[in-house]
Amino acid sequence: MNSVIRQLASTASRVALSTSRRRVAAGTLRSLPRLAANVALPARSLSTSTPVRGNGSIDSDLSHTLQEEIEYESKQAAEEGEPEFIQAFAEKTGFKLKTKLGESKVAMTKQYGTESITVSFDVSEILNIDDPIADISVYRESEQGDAVKEAEKKSEDTPEDFPIFFTATFAKPGAPVLHMELESEDGVIGIDHMKFLPNEEAATSVSLEKDWARKQVYCGPIFGQLSDDLKDNVDQFLAERSIDTALTLFMQDFIEYKEQGEYLNWLKKFKSFIDA
């Protein structure tokens, strides 16, 4: 978990830096109307010349900045390595991770007796996290154009939990496939929908066609309106298959870990584009 906190701290520093830069840019833009009233700007001259290799004047600086960020992130990743919690979770629960660099989807699969279980979630769920930036001062512009501190926001020492929407699919021979749409918050799992689909492909495929077909299937009764005994049995059904609080905590940690790797990959692709 410490590695995760360090990773979030790294992410927070990047976001804080970009926030500061946006603030400076915004302040500059606000000052332009006053500048235009007093300074005669030179007329724009049109040019038909094509920049060398199609690059803009900022591209060299941007490439240098990207390289610095790549080196920093690569060093952090090399020092931390793969966190131990991934292997520990796999050994304890039997789930096997399936994910690819450059893709936001993550799948975990396991066998439970004759059942094939697939749990799927998305790295974009990290967007549900509370603002992780620490010690951010918020400024407004006074009537005189001066920056005046308006508020200060401080995050907690450790990141808060964030809600995750995910699915769990249960398939076994000779039976319709049970497909659950779930959400977790503060370690508590809620059931949104329980559907039955004709086969495992119909339940787990990420194609637009299959996704549309799933939306046409009866979503099941409102879980909260079921009898208490039935709700308790369904909860136990999930817990026996390791669909529990430990799973939701693992998903949070893995999302944060994978997001760091995706960010580094994104930086490299960005630099490759700029340098082309």
Side-chain angles (χ1 to χ4, degrees):
M1 185 67 72
N2 290 334
S3 64
V4 173
I5 295 173
R6 288 197 299 273
Q7 291 158 8
L8 278 183
S10 173
T11 303
S13 66
R14 292 198 309 272
V15 177
L17 178 59
S18 63
T19 303
S20 175
R21 288 171 177 168
R22 288 196 298 270
R23 188 181 298 122
V24 171
T28 302
L29 289 175
R30 286 196 295 269
S31 67
L32 283 178
R34 294 192 294 273
L35 176 65
N38 299 294
V39 179
L41 297 177
R44 283 182 70 183
S45 60
L46 298 177
S47 173
T48 59
S49 62
T50 302
V52 178
R53 300 175 63 196
N55 293 342
S57 60
I58 194 60
D59 288 21
S60 178
D61 290 342
L62 179 55
S63 177
H64 178 72
T65 301
L66 287 168
Q67 182 59 37
E68 288 183 334
E69 188 75 355
I70 289 170
E71 291 175 358
Y72 173 80
E73 292 294 331
S74 296
K75 181 180 178 181
Q76 291 289 104
E79 290 177 351
E80 295 172 0
E82 181 174 307
E84 296 179 357
F85 76 86
I86 296 177
Q87 183 64 28
F89 180 80
E91 292 176 353
K92 181 178 179 180
T93 64
F95 275 112
K96 297 179 181 179
L97 277 164
K98 294 182 178 180
T99 185
K100 294 180 180 179
L101 185 64
E103 295 182 0
S104 63
K105 298 290 185 181
V106 180
M108 298 190 298
T109 61
K110 68 177 292 186
Q111 283 294 129
Y112 184 81
T114 59
E115 293 178 13
S116 299
I117 302 175
T118 302
V119 175
S120 301
F121 57 98
D122 198 305
V123 175
S124 63
E125 295 296 327
I126 200 170
L127 297 176
N128 297 325
I129 197 170
D130 289 338
D131 186 358
I133 305 174
D135 303 331
I136 296 299
S137 298
V138 180
Y139 291 84
R140 62 178 175 82
E141 188 177 24
S142 68
E143 294 180 358
Q144 293 75 30
D146 299 324
V148 179
K149 181 182 286 190
E150 190 172 59
E152 186 169 73
K153 179 177 181 177
K154 295 184 178 180
S155 68
E156 300 295 334
D157 292 335
T158 57
E160 296 183 359
D161 291 342
F162 54 94
I164 299 175
F165 294 88
F166 64 103
T167 62
T169 298
F170 308 87
K172 58 183 176 179
V177 173
L178 173 59
H179 179 73
M180 291 188 177
E181 296 173 3
L182 310 164
E183 60 179 300
S184 73
E185 188 165 8
D186 297 328
V188 178
I189 296 177
I191 300 175
D192 292 337
H193 303 298
M194 296 176 62
K195 304 179 179 182
F196 287 96
L197 299 167
N199 54 60
E200 195 168 1
E201 182 184 6
T204 59
S205 173
V206 296
S207 70
L208 292 177
E209 180 182 1
K210 297 297 185 183
D211 184 60
W212 182 86
R214 280 194 294 269
K215 287 181 170 59
Q216 312 313 308
V217 176
Y218 172 59
C219 64
I222 298 175
F223 185 76
Q225 294 180 354
L226 298 177
S227 69
D228 290 341
D229 287 344
L230 185 51
K231 286 188 291 187
D232 288 343
N233 288 161
V234 172
D235 288 339
Q236 293 171 17
F237 170 88
L238 292 174
E240 285 183 347
R241 290 155 176 80
S242 302
I243 315 295
D244 54 15
T245 298
L247 174 73
T248 67
L249 296 177
F250 171 82
M251 287 192 294
Q252 287 182 348
D253 289 346
F254 187 79
I255 285 173
E256 293 163 2
Y257 166 71
K258 180 171 169 59
E259 193 278 336
Q260 286 296 107
E262 294 297 338
Y263 174 65
L264 177 57
N265 186 49
W266 178 87
L267 287 170
K268 291 177 178 178
K269 288 183 176 181
F270 195 176
K271 187 176 188 305
S272 177
F273 167 79
I274 292 298
D275 292 345

